[in-house]
Amino acid sequence: MDWIQLVSISLFFIFLTVFLLKTNSSWNNNSQNLPPRPRILPFLGNLLIMDMKRPHRTMLKLSKVYGSIFRIQLGFQKIVVLAGYKTVKEALVNHADAFAERPNIQLSDEIHEGFGILFSHGENWKVMRRFTISALRDYGMGKRTIEDKITEECKVLIKTFESYEGQPFENTAIMNSAVGNIIVSIVLGKRYQYEDPTFQRLIKLVNENVQLSGSPPVLFYNMFPLFGFLFGARKILLNNKKELFGFIKTTFIEHLKALDENDQRSFIDSFLVRQAEEKKNKAEGYFHNENLTAVVNNLFAAGMDTTSTTLRWAILLMMKYPDIQNKVSEEISRIIGSAQPRTEHRAKMPYTDAVIHEVQRFADIVPANVARATTVDITFKGFFIPKGTHIVPLLTSVLHDESEWEKPYEFYPEHFLDSEGKFVKRDAFMPFSAGRRICLGETLAKMELFLFFTSLLQRFTFQTPPGISKENLDLTPAIGFTAPPMPYKLCALPRS
């Protein structure tokens, strides 16, 4: 090593030390009564104590030691974790504006560039969210029009299950296709055949990005972005983004060619009409192609992955607990009979409703929630949290809060039933998060879950394949940003 290299390396570490001391000054100032934390190591922070495959589990354990508000540091990422129903609810609901931002996360910023809804900031987020909610309602979210599309998709899904004639099959691609068609019908104004290669490629890109976003290589990259060349997952995500965004851009160009503001057929049409209005008024606004591409990408990710993942958990849990499956089937037979399930049936089906809610609670598919950031300096429950702090409202700690749930780690539909068997709402049921950044597709997801689940249980009994006992079914979630079940095979036997 020559003297030039030695000086360069020395200067780098001097710069790094100064940088860390400067950025840590407010973080380490105990006079401000910052939340407690475990001891950190230079450069690594708390990395060595974290389960990087499932960091939410380590956070949950740390909450037992340090309380419902504590700090951790992962590389250069400084995080405040909020744990337990009361603390998470107080932050996200009672102090909604103060906890309404998103943090700057390296790879999320590279992919979304501050556009769209999910990871955007400030006024851009407000405008895009407001428009998207309005447009989704216009295209039937929560209304009979979208319910009709879901029931038609249920019929296709049932025929697909029937095609296996009771033989074992894996349902990931099928469930993704069925659920994916609902959001695609809203966004693009069409539906795809399940085997369509373009549709399958679209689903693969979306799902791969969702899972990789929570993988250890991406988490490490976000902590140490200077070493990005070491992490292949980053390259896969950026290549997927390029292909996915290319598909979206090609699609809305096609929509632009046939655009009729008096006959808007899809979400993209509505966005393009607003874009034309801005250009006509010569306004420097938010309805540009970058936001359109990012919003559509957000809708695909949120509208495809989470609902299909929940339904796959539901089927797995019905095989694991056949007695519960039988009770659901009996209620369906008694209330619906052979008629097409509709949303108005839900009010008369407390047990089925309780089972669906318990699937969402037990499956815990977004355990660490989507990260928040503080918009202001705030003293919260006696602790000082600076503006711009990366916040993890630990959703798994809410859905498994031992002070809120009788059997937090068991699948127990009675969590949502009173002594008379009537459905009971629970305040700690928070799978869609809460506050300003609550999932905007909650209404659609609830409708999909009820209609797909009841339609399938009306027609089929789900059993394990021959040679596999229900006791051997694995309920360990896969690794990723969301927590799907491990791939499994099922037998869908027609109900007599």
Side-chain angles (χ1 to χ4, degrees), residues 305-419:
D305 183 84
T306 52
T307 303
S308 62
T309 293
T310 304
L311 287 167
R312 286 165 52 215
W313 272 112
I315 293 173
L316 178 62
L317 289 164
M318 292 305 95
M319 292 194 296
K320 183 77 171 179
Y321 302 104
D323 290 344
I324 294 175
Q325 180 178 186
N326 290 337
K327 289 181 181 179
V328 172
S329 298
E330 185 279 325
E331 188 174 66
I332 292 172
S333 297
R334 179 164 43 84
I335 302 300
I336 304 177
S338 59
Q340 176 69 51
R342 308 295 304 201
T343 54
E344 59 259 30
H345 290 125
R346 183 187 309 173
K348 302 174 184 177
M349 302 173 67
Y351 191 79
T352 301
D353 204 8
V355 167
I356 293 171
H357 279 71
E358 181 66 355
V359 168
Q360 292 178 268
R361 188 201 68 81
F362 180 85
D364 187 19
I365 65 168
V366 192
N369 211 328
V370 184
R372 302 288 184 95
T374 46
T375 59
V376 293
D377 289 350
I378 182 174
T379 299
F380 178 67
K381 294 178 80 70
F383 294 109
F384 176 75
I385 303 176
K387 177 182 177 180
T389 298
H390 183 145
I391 304 291
V392 173
L394 196 60
L395 211 52
T396 190
S397 72
V398 178
L399 298 176
H400 295 99
D401 191 323
E402 294 176 8
S403 66
E404 297 291 330
W405 306 99
E406 183 181 348
K407 300 180 180 181
Y409 294 98
E410 295 181 27
F411 184 68
Y412 187 64
E414 286 74 11
H415 282 139
F416 297 91
L417 296 169
D418 64 15
S419 59

Side-chain angles (χ1 to χ4, degrees), residues 57-247:
R57 292 188 176 177
T58 305
M59 294 178 194
L60 194 59
K61 290 178 181 177
L62 289 172
S63 72
K64 309 297 184 186
V65 178
Y66 295 97
S68 64
I69 308 173
F70 62 94
R71 291 179 288 159
I72 57 172
Q73 185 168 326
L74 304 178
F76 299 142
Q77 284 186 316
K78 304 171 186 67
I79 298 168
V80 168
V81 180
L82 307 178
Y85 164 66
K86 291 179 180 177
T87 298
V88 171
K89 186 249 185 184
E90 184 174 344
L92 301 190
V93 178
N94 299 358
H95 298 278
D97 290 332
F99 290 90
E101 255 294 1
R102 293 288 189 219
N104 292 308
I105 299 174
Q106 182 67 31
L107 194 52
S108 294
D109 291 346
E110 289 179 42
I111 292 174
H112 301 95
E113 299 177 349
F115 299 120
I117 304 171
L118 193 56
F119 296 102
S120 63
H121 312 278
E123 196 63 24
N124 189 92
W125 164 68
K126 292 177 183 177
V127 172
M128 288 298 101
R129 182 180 175 89
R130 192 161 51 240
F131 169 78
T132 300
I133 290 173
S134 176
L136 289 176
R137 287 172 179 162
D138 289 344
Y139 290 101
M141 187 173 74
K143 299 178 182 177
R144 187 79 178 198
T145 49
I146 199 66
E147 181 177 355
D148 290 341
K149 288 182 179 179
I150 298 170
T151 55
E152 288 303 309
E153 199 63 45
C154 286
K155 294 174 184 177
V156 178
L157 180 62
I158 287 167
K159 287 183 179 179
T160 305
F161 274 39
E162 287 175 339
S163 70
Y164 289 92
E165 299 180 337
Q167 296 302 305
F169 67 96
E170 209 276 326
N171 67 345
T172 302
I174 300 168
M175 297 308 302
N176 285 341
S177 300
V179 173
N181 259 329
I182 305 306
I183 194 64
V184 165
S185 72
I186 295 172
V187 175
L188 305 184
K190 63 178 292 184
R191 75 169 298 277
Y192 287 94
Q193 298 297 321
Y194 292 177
E195 64 275 8
D196 184 288
T198 300
F199 188 38
Q200 288 305 314
R201 181 60 182 166
L202 174 66
I203 290 171
K204 182 180 186 299
L205 291 171
V206 169
N207 289 343
E208 188 171 54
N209 277 11
V210 169
Q211 293 314 115
L212 281 176
S213 294
S215 66
V218 168
L219 297 179
F220 279 117
Y221 172 66
N222 287 331
M223 295 176 215
F224 306 107
L226 290 173
F227 303 103
F229 61 92
L230 297 174
F231 304 110
R234 171 183 178 268
K235 185 176 181 180
I236 295 172
L237 277 163
L238 292 176
N239 286 340
N240 285 356
K241 172 216 167 171
K242 184 177 180 181
E243 185 178 347
L244 184 58
F245 280 30
F247 168 83

